[in-house]
Amino acid sequence: MSINDWLQERFDIEAVKSFAAKKQVPVFFGSVWYYLGGVSLFLFIIQVLTGILLALYYQPGAATSYESVKFIVSKVEFGWLMREIHSWSANLFVFTIFLHMFTVFFSKAYKKPRELTWLSGMMLLLLAMVFGFSGYLLPWNELAYFATKVGTDITGAVPFIGEFLSKLLRAGDDVSGATLTRFYSIHTAILPLVFIVFLGLHLTMIQVQGMHIPESMEKVPENKRKMMPFFPNFVLRDLIVWLIVLNIIALLAVFFPWELGLKADSLASAPAGIRPEWYFMFMFQTLKLLPAHILFIEGEVFGILLFGLGGAIWFLVPFLEKPKYSRLWTAFGVGILAYIITLTVWGYLV
Amino acid sequence: MMHFNFIRPLLLVLLISFFIPRLSAQEPAEIIPPTDACYECHIDMDLDQDEVNQLFTHYLNDIHFQRGLLCSDCHGGDPEAFDEEDDAMWENDTYLGEISPNGEIAMCGKCHSDPAFMRKYSVSVSTDQESQYWTSKHGQSLKEGNLKVATCTDCHGVHGILAVDNPNSSVYDSNVPKTCSMCHSSESYMKGILETTSQYDDYVKSVHGKALLEREEISAPACNDCHGNHGAAPPEVSSINEICGSCHAQNRDLFQKSHLASVFKKEGLPQCESCHGNHYIVKPSDDFLNWESASGAVCLKCHEDGGKAKLLADQLFHVIDSLKINLDSAKVLIEKAEIKGMEISDLYFELEDAHNALIHSRTSVHSFDSTFVRSTAQPGFVASNNAKIGAKKALEEFEFRRFGLFVASFIITLLVILLYLKVKVFEKMKEKEKKNEKI
């Protein structure tokens, strides 16, 4: 008796198999974008695995964080590799989610009936950014300390609830050891839990609704559409892409390692070139460029309100878009993408 | 004959109140005398408004005025005699009139030499300025009747005298060289008194001058730190080591114990100065011991023929230079490992130890004992060797990582190719199955 038969006798795995096999992936010039979701998932798995290994040695606390990271990268066998992979895949993780989001946006894959898939995806992007923000502080080095200080300062400027939010994040009036332990628990307990819930929802909805068919293919009769079974054809291809991504991460880890820098010192003056992670750069640069006052409100508050409004519109695109304005929405997306790229590049050049 | 005028005191009060914010927070407004005959008459003289303002600006900033002293406290006279100039000055026994240099010393010394009086202002203030002055070269010359000497006001100023710790004071640490140079750099003024007037220019170029005047390190010595201030005099040959030793104590002690100390004493040579110079003291370099350097070793000043002195200098130079080379090569290796992204921060502690040993061994040169210098440098050799070993290990580790990456990449690429082939075979098989089903 094969394992398959043994399992079939106990569970109806054929039903699961047919459920998995029912999903078809359209084959066309844009099929390559369909790998982005899988790559993001793969990077998340890497994050979880390397994160668990790092947690074996990492000791949160103002007096221990920096030292334990130093210990990991210099004394623990392959500890350096774990940290490098964790850091690099974290950045690639956010990058692929961003890319995935824009490809979904421009291919209009968020439209009915996939509105909730878009919302859950947006939540996952938001959570990935919070993952990045909270993880950035954990080595407790100078750059992370001051970047977190600036980041939480900006949070403090949110109208009405800013002060409360800032205190909630910092676990006090300023960034301290208490902030570090708070960020650690957010990064390793709260966020993974919430993320997995949304990820589960996201994947289930995709599986139930199937892959989005591009508009150009919708006109072609169903039996004439060029499709590929998701399982095992697309999954095997996914695996190839995952392996290539793993190779890239290994290359980055060896040749472009992340510096640990100096230990955070709250009494030291902020070093030059304090900047947030690259995915916050466009917002940071915008806030830097805004004048002190716009009309009757502070420039920073104006910027935060603007981003809040922009984010809300972006979030609710599936519900706001009307078919006759479809092109206008595409232009809006191009504008947003151009804005993000320009401001990010500007932030690094200036 | 002077007439009492009601408007003037009122204007005076207004004028003084304009300057009140300039006073320090601790000094309340009551220290400003609103009715003082000296002010009354002297601003009534032929001064224009700008001159009056300038006089008051100076005067109000003066430390004496801020501490509640009046003109009459220095010059004598009656500050209450508003109506009669004679009563205020000429017929008043306390009025000093024109003050001579000797009189000036006594005038300032009246308070500054009185511990009981000065204690009112500060318990730690010294009261030996006057007695010190008379022992100084300036005071001695004045005693001999030479009036071209510095007295209190030449250095401290006249009516706008500021506290010594006020950065605008002419005797504030970093202003002292300029103040001394007002006389000592003037060839015409110093003619017949001192042959050389290059002290200030030399000092400015020196290691001390650069520290004090360029980097504003007020702990660096100015003229008064070596020559004394109120008792300023050129140091004796025998006391030079003590003067330099007040900061460079270890160097002094090592030299005192060296075999050269007795030779210098016997020959009447000034310690420190013989090798390092006086006003133009440059930052010491290892080449001071290097016979082959462009300028030659400083030892050449006395030991032109070389001999034993050259042998010793060569030994000392060799130890220090070897440690320096060792340290530099460790630094290069560490930088190399750091550029490759290796975590080597612990090695910087070794580098620091080696660097400290290098500094100690440079200081130990003043013992002129090659064995002692070698033993001082030894921990530096150990530390720099440790740093080198650590850096080499880090570089080897990097090579291992590169090799590991190559192996991993090879395996992953192989897997990618195999998977790709598998997909192709699998898809072809499926297609065949489909075709067969259709047939």
Side-chain angles (χ1 to χ4, degrees):
Chain A
M1 185 187 274
S2 70
I3 296 173
N4 201 37
D5 295 338
W6 189 88
L7 284 170
Q8 183 58 40
E9 264 184 20
R10 285 153 184 85
F11 312 100
D12 188 10
I13 58 166
E14 279 309 316
V16 179
K17 270 186 181 174
S18 65
F19 178 67
K22 100 177 174 70
K23 205 166 70 177
Q24 297 279 315
V25 181
V27 179
F28 70 113
F29 71 94
S31 292
V32 65
W33 301 121
Y34 284 77
Y35 292 103
L36 286 171
V39 171
S40 305
L41 175 66
F42 172 63
L43 291 167
F44 177 69
I45 294 166
I46 291 183
Q47 286 301 96
V48 173
L49 294 177
T50 52
I52 288 170
L53 290 173
L54 288 172
L56 294 176
Y57 291 95
Y58 179 76
Q59 295 172 36
T64 50
S65 282
Y66 180 83
E67 285 73 11
S68 62
V69 175
K70 204 169 162 184
F71 180 78
I72 289 168
V73 297
S74 58
K75 302 280 189 283
V76 177
E77 284 290 334
F78 294 104
W80 64 273
L81 189 62
M82 291 307 110
R83 184 190 173 225
E84 293 304 333
I85 291 179
H86 195 74
S87 304
W88 270 115
S89 61
N91 281 275
L92 291 174
F93 178 48
V94 179
F95 180 73
T96 48
I97 298 180
F98 259 108
L99 215 58
H100 183 43
M101 176 191 75
F102 278 111
T103 56
V104 168
F105 181 87
F106 290 121
S107 62
K108 309 279 178 190
Y110 52 79
K111 280 190 194 169
K112 190 183 169 185
R114 296 185 174 79
E115 299 96 327
L116 291 177
T117 318
W118 167 265
L119 288 185
S120 61
M122 283 300 294
M123 274 309 293
L124 289 173
L125 171 66
L126 203 70
L127 289 168
M129 289 170 85
V130 184
F131 253 128
F133 184 66
S134 56
Y136 194 52
L137 180 69
L138 299 188
W140 198 242
N141 57 21
E142 204 178 37
L143 218 62
Y145 175 82
F146 284 104
T148 308
K149 216 170 154 71
V150 174
T152 46
D153 269 344
I154 293 170
T155 315
V158 175
F160 308 114
I161 52 163
E163 203 180 324
F164 168 75
L165 272 181
S166 175
K167 272 196 175 174
L168 186 75
L169 279 173
R170 289 177 165 181
D173 290 329
D174 211 342
V175 176
S176 65
T179 321
L180 183 63
T181 44
R182 181 156 294 194
F183 271 40
Y184 179 67
S185 63
I186 291 173
H187 190 78
T188 58
I190 301 168
L191 284 178
L193 205 71
V194 181
F195 195 91
I196 282 172
V197 170
F198 279 98
L199 182 64
L201 281 171
H202 195 70
L203 294 177
T204 311
M205 282 189 273
I206 294 166
Q207 190 62 35
V208 170
Q209 294 176 327
M211 300 294 246
H212 166 252
I213 307 293
E215 281 174 6
S216 59
M217 208 182 253
E218 272 174 3
K219 293 158 198 160
V220 180
E222 242 179 86
N223 56 348
K224 292 203 169 164
R225 284 177 192 166
K226 206 173 173 196
M227 302 294 273
M228 176 197 292
F230 180 79
F231 189 82
N233 302 46
F234 193 78
V235 170
L236 283 172
R237 282 180 158 76
D238 245 350
L239 263 177
I240 294 175
V241 178
W242 290 12
L243 284 170
I244 293 168
V245 170
L246 185 66
N247 220 350
I248 292 170
I249 294 172
L251 202 82
L252 291 169
V254 172
F255 290 107
F256 302 97
W258 291 87
E259 264 186 40
L260 183 55
L262 295 171
K263 187 179 175 174
D265 179 2
S266 57
L267 298 174
S269 52
I274 286 293
R275 52 169 69 124
E277 290 274 68
W278 60 268
Y279 37 89
F280 292 114
M281 185 54 102
F282 72 98
M283 291 189 258
F284 183 67
Q285 186 63 17
T286 307
L287 294 179
K288 258 169 69 180
L289 293 173
L290 287 175
H293 281 91
I294 296 171
L295 299 173
F296 54 92
I297 51 173
E298 275 182 44
E300 200 176 36
V301 177
F302 181 84
I304 290 166
L305 289 174
L306 202 71
F307 282 120
L309 184 70
I313 292 172
W314 194 256
F315 217 84
L316 299 171
V317 157
F319 306 101
L320 297 175
E321 188 185 317
K322 299 280 177 282
K324 61 176 176 175
Y325 296 121
S326 183
R327 278 167 180 267
L328 211 65
W329 278 99
T330 306
F332 173 68
V334 171
I336 293 286
L337 183 62
Y339 180 81
I340 290 175
I341 293 172
T342 311
L343 269 286
T344 305
V345 173
W346 190 350
Y348 278 96
L349 292 180
V350 181
Chain B
M1 175 70 79
M2 301 194 74
H3 300 285
F4 193 81
N5 187 339
F6 285 101
I7 303 296
R8 288 216 175 274
L10 195 66
L11 284 174
L12 189 68
V13 170
L14 284 173
L15 182 65
I16 289 173
S17 45
F18 174 71
F19 290 106
I20 285 173
R22 302 179 70 96
L23 299 175
S24 72
Q26 297 107 309
E27 307 302 338
E30 69 258 24
I31 63 158
I32 298 159
T35 49
D36 181 326
C38 309
Y39 288 121
E40 280 298 301
C41 297
H42 282 271
I43 63 162
D44 200 29
M45 291 164 78
D46 292 337
L47 298 173
D48 62 26
Q49 194 55 46
D50 281 349
E51 286 170 315
V52 172
N53 285 347
Q54 205 180 5
L55 179 74
F56 275 100
T57 308
H58 270 286
Y59 200 74
L60 289 170
N61 283 327
D62 190 291
I63 182 77
H64 301 97
F65 180 77
Q66 291 191 2
R67 297 293 170 98
L69 296 180
L70 301 174
C71 311
S72 55
D73 288 308
C74 296
H75 294 275
D78 182 2
E80 300 296 325
F82 287 96
D83 299 329
E84 287 295 334
E85 187 181 330
D86 287 344
D87 291 346
M89 301 194 297
W90 311 117
E91 288 175 10
N92 189 300
D93 292 341
T94 60
Y95 182 62
L96 297 177
E98 196 180 335
I99 301 160
S100 68
N102 275 294
E104 186 186 309
I105 308 298
M107 179 183 79
C108 299
K110 188 181 79 178
C111 298
H112 283 278
S113 299
D114 182 352
F117 180 81
M118 293 305 291
R119 207 177 295 130
K120 284 195 287 186
Y121 300 99
S122 169
V123 284
S124 60
V125 72
S126 58
T127 50
D128 60 349
Q129 297 93 333
E130 189 184 2
S131 57
Q132 278 211 39
Y133 178 78
W134 292 119
T135 66
S136 74
K137 199 74 184 166
H138 300 132
Q140 296 276 325
S141 285
L142 185 60
K143 260 187 196 168
E144 287 163 14
N146 182 4
L147 299 181
K148 272 175 73 180
V149 294
T151 55
C152 313
T153 53
D154 290 308
C155 300
H156 291 276
V158 188
H159 291 115
I161 296 172
L162 303 175
V164 181
D165 57 1
N166 184 327
N168 292 320
S169 164
S170 53
V171 290
Y172 182 72
D173 290 302
S174 54
N175 297 331
V176 165
K178 199 81 203 162
T179 301
C180 298
S181 79
M182 286 194 306
C183 298
H184 283 273
S185 292
S186 167
E187 275 181 37
S188 56
Y189 192 83
M190 296 309 290
K191 202 172 178 186
I193 303 172
L194 269 178
E195 280 175 22
T196 173
T197 51
S198 65
Q199 298 95 331
Y200 178 74
D201 293 337
D202 286 346
Y203 173 80
V204 169
K205 289 182 285 181
S206 76
V207 66
H208 297 136
K210 280 180 181 164
L212 182 67
L213 305 175
E214 288 178 16
R215 297 199 300 277
E216 295 178 357
E217 293 170 12
I218 55 165
S219 58
C223 316
N224 58 322
D225 290 296
C226 299
H227 294 278
N229 33 41
H230 299 101
E236 299 292 322
V237 166
S238 59
S239 62
I240 282 180
N241 64 325
E242 293 304 332
I243 289 165
C244 302
S246 60
C247 294
H248 304 279
Q250 212 178 351
N251 301 9
R252 174 198 58 197
D253 295 346
L254 286 168
F255 189 85
Q256 288 294 89
K257 285 180 202 159
S258 77
H259 68 280
L260 284 180
S262 57
V263 180
F264 270 56
K265 198 175 177 185
K266 197 173 143 195
E267 299 289 330
L269 293 169
Q271 293 183 8
C272 316
E273 192 190 347
S274 296
C275 299
H276 294 279
N278 42 40
H279 298 104
Y280 183 27
I281 296 171
V282 294
K283 192 176 178 184
S285 103
D286 297 334
D287 276 345
F288 273 25
L289 295 166
N290 185 5
W291 232 267
E292 315 302 330
S293 69
S295 54
V298 287
C299 321
L300 272 162
K301 285 182 187 174
C302 301
H303 302 277
E304 283 172 8
D305 56 336
K308 273 186 183 175
K310 183 180 183 309
L311 195 69
L312 177 62
D314 282 348
Q315 286 172 343
L316 301 180
F317 179 72
H318 175 71
V319 173
I320 289 171
D321 202 43
S322 305
L323 179 54
K324 211 177 105 188
I325 290 169
N326 222 23
L327 183 62
D328 287 344
S329 59
K331 269 185 200 164
V332 170
L333 279 174
I334 286 177
E335 272 168 25
K336 227 176 180 180
E338 199 163 39
I339 287 167
K340 290 186 189 300
M342 303 304 292
E343 167 49 44
I344 38 86
S345 55
D346 284 351
L347 299 181
Y348 278 103
F349 293 116
E350 298 284 1
L351 271 192
E352 209 174 307
D353 286 348
H355 191 250
N356 286 341
L358 180 65
I359 292 169
H360 280 145
S361 53
R362 279 173 173 154
T363 297
S364 70
V365 161
H366 294 92
S367 69
F368 295 95
D369 177 350
S370 60
T371 314
F372 178 68
V373 173
R374 218 170 282 135
S375 67
T376 316
Q378 189 53 28
F381 284 108
V382 174
S384 51
N385 283 339
N386 285 345
K388 273 196 218 170
I389 293 167
K392 276 179 189 162
K393 262 190 192 168
L395 287 169
E396 280 167 18
E397 167 74 14
F398 179 75
E399 289 307 318
F400 171 73
R401 286 179 189 184
R402 216 155 60 158
F403 177 72
L405 172 73
F406 173 75
V407 174
S409 280
F410 179 75
I411 295 169
I412 292 171
T413 312
L414 203 69
L415 274 173
V416 167
I417 294 166
L418 288 175
L419 259 174
Y420 180 76
L421 293 173
K422 172 81 185 164
V423 169
K424 286 288 158 195
V425 171
F426 176 80
E427 283 180 352
K428 265 187 185 165
M429 211 170 71
K430 284 280 170 189
E431 259 176 49
K432 246 184 192 177
E433 273 175 20
K434 263 188 190 173
K435 272 182 189 170
N436 288 341
E437 272 173 23
K438 276 182 187 171
I439 293 164

